[in-house]
């Protein structure tokens, strides 16, 4: 009987071992593929940046085609463990397509342009290359792979910062526009339920914003041909921010950091190309600030994005729009998820108001009195009314940062303490 009982158990163990071995083999394959792709990406980047003349001289279409086919296969591999490998393959494929285009030249690179446009838009590929058509059909079945390729294309273009080699030639601006539209569509797709896909989305959007900020000629091409370039610019920035607005309550920290980087880059772009019309730039930033200020305090991304707007809008203007903002921030110190972000925004507001109040050799009495009212009188009162937990957070997150702004601030607190103690004893 013992032998009969042992036999089924051993069979069960064997059956359990098979899936485990399959998982191990899949993990090993993904790890090897990722390592290979990272090495190839480094090589491709090096060739692209330092040995382009040699690549152009070799005219090695066959090597580029083999590399392209290998990347497509890896991008279409959708196991969860292959996410890092897909990132590397997307970057390598971006470089490969760029090389193919440069080998063909602007006049003969229609196949590569059509290949990119057909992947990310409704443009039908009319190229006679059956290989590229097969690759389009393969990649269309892998939304995450397409997202990685989108990022790779942008990284390949951004690597060309000097503008000598304008990838995609006269189609560079339309391709950038198509990629932004594609990212907007993806931000609403079911794929965004996966944190890895959301991370890739905002990595790609950051690459697009960095590209537009780095390559002035490309952004100028995007803005040309419009009756009002400011309207076109606002539409472009609105397209980027429309994705940001969908992710402002993102639970994953590293994705929230990416969202803030995209937000900063979008407003840097708007400021750069609105320099001739500062009133328009200020009104646009204030509209974004009002949208954020209307959100509930517990929304995780609200305060980090407002931190970015302090330098654009100014602390005084933010408090004009929402006078109770400092008090609301201090009330959030008891909430673990938003306490750090609320403390950072409180520090930014206090520091910006102090800089404005002491900008001249003889600070104005009214400006210092306004600063003292908020950041000494009301802050001290909020500390006195706080719970024990909130007081500990005040001591850790608020008071040290306010005191570190300037050595004179400690004297302002000391001058206020006798008044605070006498009023509390009389009451």
């Amino acid at each position: 009987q013992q032998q009969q009982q042992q036999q089924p158990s051993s069979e069960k163990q064997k059956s359990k071992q098979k899936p485990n071995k399959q998982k191990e083999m899949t993990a090993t394959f993904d790890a090897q593929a990722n390592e290979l792709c990272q090495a190839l990406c480094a090589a491709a980047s090096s060739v692209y940046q330092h040995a382009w003349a040699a690549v152009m001289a070799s005219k090695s279409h066959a090597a580029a085609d083999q590399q392209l086919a290998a990347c497509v296969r890896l991008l279409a591999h959708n196991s969860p463990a292959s996410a890092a490998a897909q990132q590397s393959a997307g970057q390598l494929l971006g470089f490969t397509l760029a090389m193919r285009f440069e080998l063909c030249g602007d006049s003969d690179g229609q196949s590569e342009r059509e290949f990119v446009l057909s992947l990310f838009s409704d443009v039908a590929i009319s190229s006679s290359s059956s290989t590229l058509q097969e690759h389009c059909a393969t990649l269309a079945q892998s939304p995450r792979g397409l997202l990685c390729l989108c990022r790779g294309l942008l990284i390949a273009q951004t690597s060309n910062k000097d503008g000598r080699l304008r990838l995609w030639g006269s189609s560079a601006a339309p391709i950038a526009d198509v990629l932004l539209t594609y990212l907007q569509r993806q931000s609403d797709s079911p794929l965004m339920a996966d944190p890895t896909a959301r991370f890739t989305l905002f990595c790609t959007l950051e690459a697009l914003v960095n590209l537009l900020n780095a390559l002035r000629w490309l952004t100028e091409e995007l803005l040309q041909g419009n009756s009002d370039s400011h309207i076109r610019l606002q539409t472009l920035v609105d397209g980027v921010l429309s994705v940001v607005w969908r992710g402002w309550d993102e639970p994953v920290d590293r994705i929230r950091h990416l969202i803030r980087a995209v937000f900063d880059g979008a407003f840097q772009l708007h400021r750069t190309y609105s320099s001739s019309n500062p009133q328009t730039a200020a009104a646009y930033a204030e509209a974004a600030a009002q949208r954020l200020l209307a959100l509930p305090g517990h929304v995780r991304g609200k305060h980090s994005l407002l931190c970015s707007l302090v330098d654009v809008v100014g602390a005084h203007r933010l408090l004009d729009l929402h006078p109770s903002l400092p008090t609301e921030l201090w009330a959030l110190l008891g909430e673990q998820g938003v306490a750090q972000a609320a403390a950072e925004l409180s520090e930014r507001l206090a520091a910006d108001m102090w800089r404005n109040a002491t900008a001249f050799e003889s600070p104005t009495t009214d400006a210092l009195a306004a600063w003292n009212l908020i950041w000494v009188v009301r802050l001290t009162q909020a500390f006195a009314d706080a719970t024990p937990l909130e007081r500990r957070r005040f001591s850790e997150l608020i008071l040290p940062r306010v005191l570190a702004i300037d050595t004179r601030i400690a004297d302002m607190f000391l001058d206020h303490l006798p008044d605070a103690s006498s009023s509390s004893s009389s009451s």
Side-chain angles (χ1 to χ4, degrees), residues 234-256:
Q234 186 165 321
T235 304
L236 188 69
V237 176
D238 280 343
V240 175
L241 292 182
S242 68
V243 185
V244 172
W245 297 142
R246 295 184 184 99
W248 54 24
D249 200 21
E250 169 61 49
V252 182
D253 285 343
R254 66 174 186 165
I255 300 179
R256 281 205 306 275

Side-chain angles (χ1 to χ4, degrees), residues 69-375:
C71 291
V72 168
R73 286 196 298 271
L74 194 53
L75 281 170
H77 184 60
N78 274 325
S79 72
S82 67
Q86 283 183 312
Q87 291 269 10
S88 300
Q91 185 173 342
L92 179 57
L93 185 51
F95 279 113
T96 304
L97 287 170
M99 288 178 182
R100 279 178 55 112
F101 177 79
E102 289 298 330
L103 287 170
C104 295
D106 195 3
S107 59
D108 301 323
Q110 184 65 24
S111 297
E112 285 70 26
R113 284 195 291 265
E114 284 188 355
F115 178 68
V116 174
L117 291 171
S118 63
L119 283 172
F120 298 104
S121 68
D122 297 329
V123 176
I125 186 168
S126 60
S127 169
S128 59
S129 172
S130 59
T131 304
L132 288 180
Q133 291 179 3
E134 290 174 6
H135 291 335
C136 277
T138 302
L139 287 172
Q141 306 302 317
S142 176
R144 196 174 70 185
L146 273 179
L147 205 55
C148 294
L149 173 56
C150 182
R151 177 172 176 263
L153 290 168
L154 293 167
I155 289 174
Q157 176 69 81
T158 309
S159 300
N160 177 30
K161 290 183 179 179
D162 59 1
R164 282 188 305 105
L165 301 168
R166 296 192 176 195
L167 305 188
W168 318 117
S170 59
S171 297
I175 285 178
D177 217 355
V178 163
L179 294 183
L180 175 58
T181 305
Y182 169 77
L183 292 175
Q184 289 177 264
R185 288 201 313 269
Q186 286 301 308
S187 65
D188 272 336
S189 72
L191 183 67
M192 292 301 108
D194 176 19
T196 304
R198 293 200 304 275
F199 180 76
T200 306
L201 173 75
F202 283 104
C203 277
T204 308
L205 195 60
E206 183 187 25
L208 176 60
V209 172
N210 290 343
L211 173 65
L212 296 176
N213 278 313
L215 299 182
R216 190 178 185 89
W217 64 265
L218 177 58
T219 308
E220 288 173 351
E221 282 186 14
L222 279 168
L223 300 180
Q224 282 176 358
N226 295 275
S227 57
D228 191 339
S229 61
H230 292 293
I231 295 177
R232 179 68 182 96
L233 172 65
Q234 186 165 321
T235 304
L236 188 69
V237 176
D238 280 343
V240 175
L241 292 182
S242 68
V243 185
V244 172
W245 297 142
R246 295 184 184 99
W248 54 24
D249 200 21
E250 169 61 49
V252 182
D253 285 343
R254 66 174 186 165
I255 300 179
R256 281 205 306 275
H257 294 318
L258 273 176
I259 292 173
R260 181 169 175 179
V262 171
F263 189 78
D264 290 346
F267 274 95
Q268 179 186 342
L269 183 68
H270 196 274
R271 286 199 305 273
T272 301
Y273 294 96
S274 297
S275 56
S276 60
N277 194 349
Q279 293 181 345
T280 301
Y284 189 80
E286 284 187 15
Q290 288 177 320
R291 184 168 187 172
L292 288 168
L293 289 168
L295 291 173
H298 62 79
V299 173
R300 280 165 285 206
K302 168 182 177 177
H303 307 101
S304 62
L305 298 186
L306 281 172
C307 281
S308 299
L309 288 179
V310 170
D311 296 332
V312 181
V313 179
H316 279 289
R317 184 56 185 154
L318 283 175
L319 293 183
D320 286 342
L321 296 172
H322 202 80
S324 61
L325 181 57
T327 307
E328 293 175 7
L329 293 175
W330 302 330
L332 293 170
L333 293 177
E335 297 191 23
Q336 183 67 33
V338 296
Q340 288 285 351
E344 182 187 359
L345 179 54
S346 174
E347 177 190 10
R348 288 288 190 95
L349 292 170
D352 189 69
M353 286 187 68
W354 180 264
R355 279 193 298 271
N356 290 329
T358 59
F360 304 99
E361 293 183 3
S362 56
T364 60
T365 306
D366 292 341
L368 285 176
W371 193 94
N372 185 76
L373 175 64
I374 297 174
W375 302 105

